[in-house]
Amino acid sequence: MDTSLKSTLHRRGLRMTPQRQLVLDAVRELGHATPEQICTQVQRAAPAVNITTVYRTLDLLEELRLVRHTHLGHGAPTYSERAHEHVHLVCHHCGAVSEAPTALMDELADRLREREDFELDVTHVALSGRCATCREADLKASQELGEKEARA
Amino acid sequence: MDTSLKSTLHRRGLRMTPQRQLVLDAVRELGHATPEQICTQVQRAAPAVNITTVYRTLDLLEELRLVRHTHLGHGAPTYSERAHEHVHLVCHHCGAVSEAPTALMDELADRLREREDFELDVTHVALSGRCATCREADLKASQELGEKEARA
DNA sequence: TTAGGTGCAAAGCATTTGCCAGTCT
DNA sequence: AGACTGGCAAATGCTTTGCACCTAA
């Protein structure tokens, strides 16, 4: 696996460096993480590594199709391994991020292809909505409101 | 319509101002536009209006559920009228944005509700992928590549 | 010896905040 | 007077760029 990265780089006249390995390792360990978080993780092993290098390396790894980035809505994008494919669900109330199998989107992808002639990339953008926890909280709140109004 | 905005504001102890009207008008005219674009449009009528005001007003109008913002992937979000509900399809190759009926997402929304206990907000995030035009270009390119290889 | 790689500082965009002066009630 | 507004400048967060130095082929 590392061998393949090394040789892929080599084919392009690029080198394998400790920084590049560390960034890739960090992406793998962290699951989905922002450049900032990845930088912090890398700096545990090599404190001198600059965030600039992290950005540059992430761009490179993305070009090499080893990682991908996903926009979770606001703020920084998160990076994850390309191999680990899933759909992101972001709660825009509490900010929680969960993952769902991409198969959920298959039918939508088919329909978009047929009707809109659009080839969906399932992983690039997160789906936004309300998570289970926040929905329960909402339910409770509206019940309490209902009781209060009933009393009034 | 303006009356309802004015009275909605009034109920909250807020005032109707030329700036607020202009921002709302601009959102309606432009369809989906970034704060920057909205600001430019507003400044045609009132050059002194500051981008800060645009941001503040957009937040307010969003709270009042008159507009909504959508993340099209990279860069600034775009704002559009709340009433005009649709799904955004963004081509991450050429950047083109198209719109599709939200009904396309109904089944996905149902499945997410059932299986993931997640209440999808269809409009908040754009779907990313490859548009018809770019797919054709891809097809042509791969055909040419095929011919070239066949010759070799 | 030459391209590639990195660190550092500075610049660049998008957005938010603090503050003050003006305005409506 | 007191709350609401909007303009301006500065701060913030995220990312990119320019440049000098270093290292591997």
Side-chain angles (χ1 to χ4, degrees):
Chain A
M1 195 189 271
D2 291 345
T3 320
S4 90
L5 170 53
K6 195 173 174 181
S7 53
T8 311
L9 287 168
H10 214 82
R11 248 171 279 135
R12 300 209 182 194
L14 304 177
R15 288 176 223 138
M16 185 58 193
T17 67
Q19 285 91 335
R20 286 174 178 165
Q21 186 62 57
L22 285 167
V23 169
L24 182 55
D25 291 347
V27 170
R28 285 178 174 155
E29 279 163 42
L30 296 176
H32 40 81
T34 62
E36 188 103 16
Q37 293 170 321
I38 292 165
C39 188
T40 305
Q41 172 74 9
V42 167
Q43 286 175 342
R44 282 198 210 158
V49 173
N50 196 277
I51 187 137
T52 308
T53 302
V54 173
Y55 277 105
R56 285 192 280 229
T57 306
L58 287 171
D59 282 352
L60 177 64
L61 294 177
E62 188 152 38
E63 227 184 284
L64 300 180
R65 321 209 121 218
L66 289 167
V67 306
R68 78 166 101 244
H69 75 270
T70 307
H71 297 278
L72 298 183
H74 308 268
T78 65
Y79 286 77
S80 52
E81 265 200 275
R82 183 101 189 172
H84 178 47
E85 182 168 288
H86 48 249
V87 181
H88 294 92
L89 307 177
V90 182
C91 176
H92 54 218
H93 187 237
C94 70
V97 180
S98 56
E99 297 174 4
T102 55
L104 270 176
M105 308 281 280
D106 285 350
E107 209 204 297
L108 174 65
D110 289 345
R111 268 200 271 180
L112 285 172
R113 204 178 295 114
E114 285 162 26
R115 298 199 198 169
E116 312 283 332
D117 208 0
F118 186 86
E119 185 66 37
L120 181 64
D121 173 0
V122 161
T123 62
H124 188 238
V125 179
L127 298 175
S128 179
R130 219 148 234 262
C131 71
T133 315
C134 288
R135 292 182 68 195
E136 276 171 37
D138 288 350
L139 200 61
K140 205 182 271 182
S142 71
Q143 281 170 352
E144 279 167 19
L145 192 67
E147 285 165 21
K148 202 185 282 179
E149 276 176 9
R151 259 179 271 124
Chain B
M1 196 189 273
D2 292 345
T3 319
S4 89
L5 170 54
K6 194 173 174 180
S7 53
T8 311
L9 287 168
H10 216 83
R11 245 172 280 134
R12 298 208 183 194
L14 304 176
R15 288 176 222 137
M16 184 57 193
T17 66
Q19 285 91 337
R20 285 175 180 165
Q21 186 62 57
L22 286 167
V23 169
L24 182 55
D25 291 348
V27 170
R28 284 178 175 155
E29 280 162 42
L30 296 175
H32 40 80
T34 63
E36 189 102 17
Q37 292 170 322
I38 292 164
C39 190
T40 305
Q41 172 75 7
V42 167
Q43 286 176 342
R44 282 197 210 159
V49 173
N50 196 277
I51 186 132
T52 309
T53 302
V54 173
Y55 277 106
R56 283 193 282 230
T57 305
L58 287 171
D59 283 352
L60 177 64
L61 293 176
E62 189 153 35
E63 228 183 285
L64 300 179
R65 319 211 122 217
L66 289 167
V67 305
R68 70 160 50 98
H69 75 270
T70 307
H71 297 278
L72 298 183
H74 308 268
T78 65
Y79 286 78
S80 52
E81 266 199 274
R82 182 100 189 173
H84 179 48
E85 181 167 290
H86 48 248
V87 180
H88 293 92
L89 306 177
V90 183
C91 177
H92 55 219
H93 186 237
C94 70
V97 179
S98 55
E99 297 173 3
T102 54
L104 270 175
M105 307 281 280
D106 286 350
E107 207 204 297
L108 174 65
D110 289 344
R111 267 199 272 180
L112 285 172
R113 203 179 296 113
E114 283 162 26
R115 299 200 198 168
E116 311 285 330
D117 208 359
F118 186 85
E119 184 67 38
L120 180 65
D121 173 1
V122 161
T123 63
H124 188 239
V125 178
L127 297 174
S128 179
R130 219 148 232 261
C131 71
T133 315
C134 288
R135 292 183 68 195
E136 276 170 37
D138 288 350
L139 199 62
K140 205 182 270 181
S142 71
Q143 280 171 352
E144 279 166 22
L145 192 68
E147 284 165 22
K148 201 185 283 179
E149 278 176 5
R151 257 179 274 124

